[in-house]
Amino acid sequence: MSSQPNTLFHSDVDSSPLLLPAKVLRNDAEALQAARELADVAREQAARRDQQRKLPWAEIEQFTRSGLGSISVPKAYGGPDVSFETVAEVFRLISAADPALGQIPQNQFGMLQLLRLTATEAQQAVIFRSVLDGWRIGNAGPERGTKDTLTLKAKITRVGDGYRISGEKFYSTGALYAHWVAVKALDDEGRQRLAFVRRGSPGLRIVDDWSGFGQRTTASGTVLLDQVPVDAELVIDNWRQRDTPNIQGAASQLIQAAIDAGIAEAAIDDAISFVRDKSRPWIDAKVERASDDPYVIADIGRLKLELHAAEALLRKAARVLDEVNDAPIDAASAARASIAVAEAKVLTTEVSLQASEKLFELAGSRATLAEFNLDRHWRNARVHTLHDPVRWKYHAVGAYHLNGSQPARHSWI
């Protein structure tokens, strides 16, 4: 079923995945329907893919062919430009089925938002058109061994009419599956630039060495660049982002929160199914079924309430983003968007971790058997929620409401 490319991941040769025809969806309703259909397919083998670390090529290709990859492309460039509320729901639906599949295109949507801010009209036309045609965008921004996530060592240098880029990246989610690799690097003046590198470019290597215990099939491993040529028209002045109030960080975080909400939903659903069908009641409960244990009932009720609260804040945050995006964005409205998403991110993080751990307490010892692979929920939640610390979300929310302080302007708030 899968058309996984014959890519030599551990050689010096890189090749592009197959480019398949992609549908262009027309509206929010079509996007939601496509997400539900993909979720139904992805859910069937998600646990096995996680156990075997089998990459979801067929599923990510369905994501692309269905048109979901281009739902954030602006209408002016031929896309449906669906609402942030729909984007969040698309990622929540898919992630409830397979959160690795939800995370793989996460950075693509961040890049589409970034293009609106810093790319020229000609650059937008090229990249947006390619996404409509089925090109996928992978990430090569973070690096290991630097002071923090914002610090870069990769360099991009002008050579003749184009550029050359060198460096080593990690946490490169989506790069293995991509046709474009979006690489952040410092130019000769120390400014951050964003280069869209075509797969198969000489000097580019994608190494599938992601060994995280969660989100196992995201292939969030290494990207190696050795004097990789890049066309000048594909190099974006990413440094300009900090000069203009924007919602790029909030839009990126909204998707992160949606993925965590999906993980929480799946963990609670599996807990309910296991308690109903497989768990034995505790002897002191004096009941025939585990699902009649009053303490289990209360805990399931508590988890459902916390999930619904997180989902409500997620929807509220998405609506705030839509409202802010519909008007000229200033520092105050950008801050409002970031704080709304931060509030949602706190609850989705906490409920995903709590639900995926509580599952075992409620379901009992049998639920820990490898054949069920229920630990994937906690592993996925724990790994994905490490993208940025929730303790700083509490700080940002408190400082905003107490002192009127506006949050920092970057991709993690």
Side-chain angles (χ1 to χ4, degrees), residues 21 66 72 81 129 150 155 177 188 253 352 385:
S66 71
S72 287
D81 199 14
R129 182 68 258 170
L150 289 176
K155 300 293 185 182
Y177 306 93
D188 294 333
Q253 286 287 299
S352 66
T385 56

Side-chain angles (χ1 to χ4, degrees), residues 50 99 214-216 263 376-384:
D50 173 88
Q215 297 296 85
R216 289 176 169 178
I263 294 173
R376 72 185 187 279
H377 297 304
W378 182 86
R379 289 187 287 101
N380 290 334
R382 183 63 283 173
V383 169
H384 188 260

Side-chain angles (χ1 to χ4, degrees), residues 14-19 69 73 104-105 107-108 111-112 115 122-141 172-184 194-201 204 206 223 225 228-236:
D14 178 65
S15 61
S16 178
L18 295 177
L19 183 61
V73 172
I104 290 165
N107 289 299
Q108 173 163 316
M111 293 300 166
L112 294 179
L115 286 169
Q123 290 170 331
Q124 291 182 46
V126 170
I127 303 298
F128 287 147
R129 182 68 258 170
S130 72
V131 171
L132 290 169
D133 289 340
W135 291 49
R136 292 187 291 271
I137 303 172
N139 179 51
S172 302
T173 302
L176 190 69
Y177 306 93
H179 304 91
W180 292 115
V181 180
V183 183
K184 292 180 181 178
L194 179 67
F196 279 78
V197 178
R198 292 182 177 89
R199 288 295 297 279
S201 296
L204 174 67
I206 312 290
V223 171
L225 305 111
V228 177
V230 187
D231 296 339
E233 60 267 26
L234 296 174
V235 177
I236 294 168

Side-chain angles (χ1 to χ4, degrees), residues 6-260:
N6 183 24
T7 306
L8 305 177
F9 301 128
H10 295 283
S11 76
D12 292 329
V13 178
D14 178 65
S15 61
S16 178
L18 295 177
L19 183 61
L20 302 173
K23 182 178 181 180
V24 177
L25 299 170
R26 293 175 296 179
N27 52 48
D28 295 59
E30 287 188 356
L32 293 171
Q33 182 59 30
R36 294 186 191 101
E37 292 172 0
L38 176 59
D40 288 342
V41 171
R43 187 177 291 109
E44 293 180 7
Q45 298 296 323
R48 179 173 295 182
R49 285 194 299 274
D50 173 88
Q51 276 187 322
Q52 299 175 356
R53 209 179 280 268
K54 181 180 178 182
L55 302 182
W57 278 103
E59 291 74 20
I60 198 64
E61 287 168 354
Q62 180 176 335
F63 178 94
T64 304
R65 290 197 313 271
S66 71
L68 285 170
S70 61
I71 58 175
S72 287
V73 172
K75 286 184 170 68
Y77 293 91
D81 199 14
V82 302
S83 67
F84 283 108
E85 189 169 2
T86 292
V87 170
E89 181 65 3
V90 163
F91 275 87
R92 191 194 68 80
L93 287 167
I94 294 171
S95 299
D98 183 351
L101 181 62
Q103 187 183 345
I104 290 165
Q106 166 187 308
N107 289 299
Q108 173 163 316
F109 281 70
M111 293 300 166
L112 294 179
Q113 187 67 31
L114 191 61
L115 286 169
R116 296 174 183 241
L117 295 173
T118 56
T120 65
E121 288 188 12
Q123 290 170 331
Q124 291 182 46
V126 170
I127 303 298
F128 287 147
R129 182 68 258 170
S130 72
V131 171
L132 290 169
D133 289 340
W135 291 49
R136 292 187 291 271
I137 303 172
N139 179 51
E143 300 177 10
R144 291 192 287 189
T146 56
K147 176 186 175 182
D148 53 41
T149 50
L150 289 176
T151 302
L152 300 176
K153 294 181 180 178
K155 300 293 185 182
I156 183 166
T157 303
R158 188 86 193 203
V159 178
D161 294 333
Y163 288 86
R164 297 273 177 171
I165 188 166
S166 293
E168 181 174 335
K169 302 291 186 173
F170 196 63
Y171 306 111
S172 302
T173 302
L176 190 69
Y177 306 93
H179 304 91
W180 292 115
V181 180
V183 183
K184 292 180 181 178
L186 299 180
D187 65 14
D188 294 333
E189 298 178 44
R191 300 174 302 184
Q192 187 184 114
R193 311 291 290 276
L194 179 67
F196 279 78
V197 178
R198 292 182 177 89
R199 288 295 297 279
S201 296
L204 174 67
R205 284 183 62 204
I206 312 290
V207 184
D208 182 14
D209 60 348
W210 172 244
S211 61
F213 62 70
Q215 297 296 85
R216 289 176 169 178
T217 62
T218 58
S220 302
T222 300
V223 171
L224 301 172
L225 305 111
D226 182 12
Q227 292 295 307
V228 177
V230 187
D231 296 339
E233 60 267 26
L234 296 174
V235 177
I236 294 168
D237 292 337
N238 192 41
W239 56 272
R240 296 185 186 278
Q241 176 189 359
R242 66 175 182 261
D243 298 331
T244 306
N246 63 79
I247 57 171
Q248 190 272 331
S252 177
Q253 286 287 299
L254 182 75
I255 294 174
Q256 302 263 28
I259 293 170
D260 297 335

